[in-house]
Amino acid sequence: MNISIGKTEQFSTKIILVSGEEARDIRDFDGKKHSITLRYKDEETRVYVSVGEEYTFDSCLNAAAAAVRRIVDLKRESVSVLVPKASCLTPVVEGALLGAYRFEAYKSEKKSCLKTLEFVGSDLAEEDMEKARIIAEATNYSRDLVNKNAGEIYPDMLAQKARELGKKHSALSVTVLDEKDIEKQGLNLLYAVGKGSPTPPRLIIMEYTGNTDDEKRSAVFGKGITFDSGGQNLKPSGSIENMRLDMGGAGAVLGIMKALCELNVQKNVIGVIPAAHNAIGRDSYFTGDVYDSWSGKTVEVLNTDAEGRLVLADALAYCKATYNPTEMIDLATLTGAILVALGDTVSGLFSNDKTLAARLFTSGEAVSDRVWELPIRDEHRKAMESDIADLRNISKIKRNAGSITAAAFLENFVSHTPWAHLDIAGTAWNDSEPRGITPKYATGAGVRLLVHYLTQ
Ligand code: BES
Ligand code: ZN
Ligand code: ZN
């Protein structure tokens, strides 16, 4: 997409953001938040979109997205977007590029012809536009990775994507452990989960060095299950169809690293992806068996479908010991239960550190990539104790607190490092119609949240 800033509009198709109050002057327009009306005059098309009562980051973001989505449906090639005030440029650019997103790789006829967006207003800063573009494009990049076929995005393909980023950016160095390294190093949980697949597991580590004088470094982890069949605890029809989404965390981490590189952020961040295909077959790992994790803690696997926590456990413990990060944040499509608890617009947040949790919440509100904290208490920790091993991978509490007990399991592998776990199983995927910046299918949840958090 070509984007630019202009002082007067060049194109005959225009998007105009209006407040609810301004909308009342437009004939037969109710001006409800994010509603749209089209007006035609000679060659000109005006797309009015209401931001609701006020021009906020959230209202401009989603209004711009809704209007641009409509423009794409109208098959326009070039559009001028009128920016109501300079402070709205960031959300308008971000919203416009997120709303323009279409996943058409598997359509024989491409529908989208939008090529040029011009943002019109006074005192608009090129730098704001550029930053917003990088963040939106990183989100769309992550969406593409998650939307693509599971047969196309297998663990080593995620490694190739990481290497591709490493080649482009000198500040990013990429290390990949293949299945032999994984076995030799004793990352037995990751090895076990990936064992049943002809596409073997990988541990992908991306080290971004943006400030050599800074001793601090954050680590972000993304669950990279390229397809989750459930393994021997095979998922039934109705639950399995979308399971290529299960690398949503990994897709987000790749997007985050891409954005950090392009924004030239002066921080040090490690991106880590334990990647595996949780397959069913002759070589799958066994329900009921005990596996020895990298940390030394043994795990009774009572359900091979609770595989995300297993691959993350090894990744968290191994990276903590190897890179000693100052904080660790993981993104994972970990539990169906989080969709029941929080729905598909808010991700679950779990943490052992109040300050980290509060800062993540603030970032989520700032960029409309929202999180809500749930507790981890001793009763949840107790529910993950095994009689035959140190831990079990599913809770003793039946059908209760599934997201919390999953987080309680992960907590065993982070020692005392400030850690936060984001359960994005509800937010990474949208089964319904597009709304605002959220398209159908992969949403890119977590990218904008963590880019904001890491650049604060
Ligand atoms: N990948 C799933 C979680 C998931 C479910 C993501 C629905 C997106 C939508 C995860 O690996 C899983 O299967 N979790 C089980 C845990 C259970 C076996 C304790 C679940 O949520 O049912
Ligand atoms: Zn699973
Ligand atoms: Zn899974």
Side-chain angles (χ1 to χ4, degrees), residues 223 225 228 243 246 305 307-308 333-334:
K223 171 178 172 183
I225 298 298
D228 183 10
M243 279 304 140
D246 216 17
D305 196 12
E307 82 300 335
T333 49
L334 207 63

Side-chain angles (χ1 to χ4, degrees), residues 384-454:
M384 302 309 284
E385 289 173 5
S386 163
D387 294 329
I388 196 172
D390 300 333
L391 293 164
R392 39 192 281 150
N393 80 328
I394 56 166
S395 155
K396 277 184 239 182
I397 320 169
K398 290 268 176 288
R399 297 177 175 280
N400 256 327
S403 307
I404 298 180
T405 49
F409 177 87
L410 292 178
E411 193 193 39
N412 288 287
F413 299 90
V414 302
S415 9
H416 298 292
T417 315
W419 155 78
H421 157 57
L422 297 163
D423 194 335
I424 57 168
T427 49
W429 192 263
N430 173 26
D431 267 328
S432 346
E433 286 314 295
R435 52 181 143 77
I437 58 166
T438 310
K440 197 167 176 181
Y441 307 116
T443 63
V447 175
R448 294 179 323 101
L449 165 69
L450 284 193
V451 171
H452 185 272
Y453 173 77
L454 293 166

